[in-house]
PDB file of all heavy atoms in Angstrom:
ATOM      1  N   ALA U   2     133.877-127.560 146.753  1.00  0.00           N
ATOM      2  CA  ALA U   2     132.745-126.730 147.275  1.00  0.00           C
ATOM      3  C   ALA U   2     132.212-125.812 146.158  1.00  0.00           C
ATOM      4  O   ALA U   2     132.936-125.281 145.324  1.00  0.00           O
ATOM      5  CB  ALA U   2     133.244-125.897 148.451  1.00  0.00           C
ATOM      6  N   TRP U  14     132.127-108.503 139.135  1.00  0.00           N
ATOM      7  CA  TRP U  14     132.060-107.042 139.142  1.00  0.00           C
ATOM      8  C   TRP U  14     133.358-106.393 139.681  1.00  0.00           C
ATOM      9  O   TRP U  14     133.723-105.316 139.231  1.00  0.00           O
ATOM     10  CB  TRP U  14     130.826-106.543 139.799  1.00  0.00           C
ATOM     11  CG  TRP U  14     129.653-106.639 138.877  1.00  0.00           C
ATOM     12  CD1 TRP U  14     128.659-107.569 138.921  1.00  0.00           C
ATOM     13  CD2 TRP U  14     129.393-105.851 137.752  1.00  0.00           C
ATOM     14  NE1 TRP U  14     127.810-107.397 137.854  1.00  0.00           N
ATOM     15  CE2 TRP U  14     128.260-106.348 137.091  1.00  0.00           C
ATOM     16  CE3 TRP U  14     130.065-104.731 137.153  1.00  0.00           C
ATOM     17  CZ2 TRP U  14     127.751-105.753 135.930  1.00  0.00           C
ATOM     18  CZ3 TRP U  14     129.547-104.158 135.972  1.00  0.00           C
ATOM     19  CH2 TRP U  14     128.411-104.681 135.399  1.00  0.00           C
ATOM     20  N   SER U  26     141.410 -94.486 132.698  1.00  0.00           N
ATOM     21  CA  SER U  26     142.590 -93.682 132.777  1.00  0.00           C
ATOM     22  C   SER U  26     143.302 -93.628 131.428  1.00  0.00           C
ATOM     23  O   SER U  26     143.884 -92.635 131.085  1.00  0.00           O
ATOM     24  CB  SER U  26     143.521 -94.296 133.915  1.00  0.00           C
ATOM     25  OG  SER U  26     144.071 -95.441 133.476  1.00  0.00           O
ATOM     26  N   ALA U  53     127.644 -91.644 127.690  1.00  0.00           N
ATOM     27  CA  ALA U  53     126.239 -91.255 127.950  1.00  0.00           C
ATOM     28  C   ALA U  53     126.125 -90.478 129.258  1.00  0.00           C
ATOM     29  O   ALA U  53     125.194 -90.694 130.028  1.00  0.00           O
ATOM     30  CB  ALA U  53     125.374 -92.526 127.972  1.00  0.00           C
ATOM     31  N   THR U  66     134.956 -78.184 130.043  1.00  0.00           N
ATOM     32  CA  THR U  66     136.362 -77.858 129.958  1.00  0.00           C
ATOM     33  C   THR U  66     137.223 -79.082 130.351  1.00  0.00           C
ATOM     34  O   THR U  66     136.659 -80.037 130.959  1.00  0.00           O
ATOM     35  CB  THR U  66     136.720 -76.709 130.856  1.00  0.00           C
ATOM     36  OG1 THR U  66     136.509 -77.112 132.186  1.00  0.00           O
ATOM     37  CG2 THR U  66     135.895 -75.432 130.496  1.00  0.00           C
ATOM     38  N   ASN U  69     137.035 -79.535 134.144  1.00  0.00           N
ATOM     39  CA  ASN U  69     135.802 -80.119 134.630  1.00  0.00           C
ATOM     40  C   ASN U  69     135.626 -81.535 134.292  1.00  0.00           C
ATOM     41  O   ASN U  69     135.164 -82.320 135.133  1.00  0.00           O
ATOM     42  CB  ASN U  69     134.641 -79.232 134.122  1.00  0.00           C
ATOM     43  CG  ASN U  69     134.555 -77.856 134.741  1.00  0.00           C
ATOM     44  OD1 ASN U  69     135.233 -77.596 135.777  1.00  0.00           O
ATOM     45  ND2 ASN U  69     133.780 -76.980 134.127  1.00  0.00           N
ATOM     46  N   TYR U 114     142.534 -97.082 147.000  1.00  0.00           N
ATOM     47  CA  TYR U 114     141.317 -96.243 147.244  1.00  0.00           C
ATOM     48  C   TYR U 114     141.647 -95.029 148.116  1.00  0.00           C
ATOM     49  O   TYR U 114     141.263 -93.890 147.783  1.00  0.00           O
ATOM     50  CB  TYR U 114     140.273 -97.110 147.934  1.00  0.00           C
ATOM     51  CG  TYR U 114     138.987 -96.331 148.286  1.00  0.00           C
ATOM     52  CD1 TYR U 114     138.187 -95.720 147.264  1.00  0.00           C
ATOM     53  CD2 TYR U 114     138.612 -96.183 149.612  1.00  0.00           C
ATOM     54  CE1 TYR U 114     137.008 -95.053 147.632  1.00  0.00           C
ATOM     55  CE2 TYR U 114     137.439 -95.506 149.927  1.00  0.00           C
ATOM     56  CZ  TYR U 114     136.738 -94.898 148.943  1.00  0.00           C
ATOM     57  OH  TYR U 114     135.528 -94.206 149.246  1.00  0.00           O
ATOM     58  N   LYS U 138     146.951 -96.517 136.156  1.00  0.00           N
ATOM     59  CA  LYS U 138     147.137 -97.765 135.396  1.00  0.00           C
ATOM     60  C   LYS U 138     148.049 -98.702 136.123  1.00  0.00           C
ATOM     61  O   LYS U 138     147.778 -99.966 136.167  1.00  0.00           O
ATOM     62  CB  LYS U 138     147.706 -97.413 134.027  1.00  0.00           C
ATOM     63  CG  LYS U 138     146.715 -96.816 133.041  1.00  0.00           C
ATOM     64  CD  LYS U 138     147.341 -96.521 131.671  1.00  0.00           C
ATOM     65  CE  LYS U 138     148.278 -95.355 131.714  1.00  0.00           C
ATOM     66  NZ  LYS U 138     148.736 -95.058 130.309  1.00  0.00           N
ATOM     67  N   THR U 145     146.096-106.638 139.261  1.00  0.00           N
ATOM     68  CA  THR U 145     145.957-107.870 138.394  1.00  0.00           C
ATOM     69  C   THR U 145     147.090-108.845 138.774  1.00  0.00           C
ATOM     70  O   THR U 145     146.800-110.044 138.801  1.00  0.00           O
ATOM     71  CB  THR U 145     146.081-107.382 136.950  1.00  0.00           C
ATOM     72  OG1 THR U 145     145.026-106.523 136.629  1.00  0.00           O
ATOM     73  CG2 THR U 145     146.008-108.602 136.036  1.00  0.00           C
ATOM     74  N   PRO U 186     135.453 -87.053 112.196  1.00  0.00           N
ATOM     75  CA  PRO U 186     134.023 -86.950 112.532  1.00  0.00           C
ATOM     76  C   PRO U 186     133.107 -87.070 111.334  1.00  0.00           C
ATOM     77  O   PRO U 186     131.902 -87.296 111.523  1.00  0.00           O
ATOM     78  CB  PRO U 186     133.956 -85.528 113.146  1.00  0.00           C
ATOM     79  CG  PRO U 186     135.103 -84.764 112.467  1.00  0.00           C
ATOM     80  CD  PRO U 186     136.117 -85.756 112.280  1.00  0.00           C
ATOM     81  N   SER U 187     133.519 -86.885 110.135  1.00  0.00           N
ATOM     82  CA  SER U 187     132.702 -87.043 108.972  1.00  0.00           C
ATOM     83  C   SER U 187     132.923 -88.344 108.197  1.00  0.00           C
ATOM     84  O   SER U 187     134.109 -88.754 108.084  1.00  0.00           O
ATOM     85  CB  SER U 187     133.032 -85.835 107.967  1.00  0.00           C
ATOM     86  OG  SER U 187     132.366 -86.100 106.747  1.00  0.00           O
ATOM     87  N   ALA U 208     148.492 -99.981 125.156  1.00  0.00           N
ATOM     88  CA  ALA U 208     149.624-100.832 125.456  1.00  0.00           C
ATOM     89  C   ALA U 208     149.941-101.708 124.220  1.00  0.00           C
ATOM     90  O   ALA U 208     150.347-102.835 124.406  1.00  0.00           O
ATOM     91  CB  ALA U 208     149.455-101.626 126.733  1.00  0.00           C
ATOM     92  N   VAL U 216     153.697-106.723 113.986  1.00  0.00           N
ATOM     93  CA  VAL U 216     152.863-107.239 112.871  1.00  0.00           C
ATOM     94  C   VAL U 216     153.037-106.302 111.657  1.00  0.00           C
ATOM     95  O   VAL U 216     153.087-106.768 110.547  1.00  0.00           O
ATOM     96  CB  VAL U 216     151.393-107.164 113.292  1.00  0.00           C
ATOM     97  CG1 VAL U 216     150.454-107.594 112.145  1.00  0.00           C
ATOM     98  CG2 VAL U 216     151.154-108.036 114.554  1.00  0.00           C
ATOM     99  N   PRO U 218     155.839-103.684 110.673  1.00  0.00           N
ATOM    100  CA  PRO U 218     157.103-102.994 110.977  1.00  0.00           C
ATOM    101  C   PRO U 218     157.238-101.608 110.345  1.00  0.00           C
ATOM    102  O   PRO U 218     157.876-100.727 110.923  1.00  0.00           O
ATOM    103  CB  PRO U 218     158.171-103.985 110.369  1.00  0.00           C
ATOM    104  CG  PRO U 218     157.463-105.310 110.230  1.00  0.00           C
ATOM    105  CD  PRO U 218     156.070-104.989 109.985  1.00  0.00           C
ATOM    106  N   ASP U 248     134.423-116.679 125.650  1.00  0.00           N
ATOM    107  CA  ASP U 248     133.695-117.853 125.161  1.00  0.00           C
ATOM    108  C   ASP U 248     134.302-119.130 125.792  1.00  0.00           C
ATOM    109  O   ASP U 248     133.583-120.052 126.106  1.00  0.00           O
ATOM    110  CB  ASP U 248     133.873-117.920 123.629  1.00  0.00           C
ATOM    111  CG  ASP U 248     132.855-118.845 122.987  1.00  0.00           C
ATOM    112  OD1 ASP U 248     131.625-118.577 123.039  1.00  0.00           O
ATOM    113  OD2 ASP U 248     133.282-119.840 122.413  1.00  0.00           O
TER     114      ASP U 248
END
Side-chain angles (χ1 to χ4, degrees):
W14 280 105
S26 70
T66 62
N69 289 344
Y114 178 63
K138 287 183 285 185
T145 301
S187 171
V216 180
D248 197 66

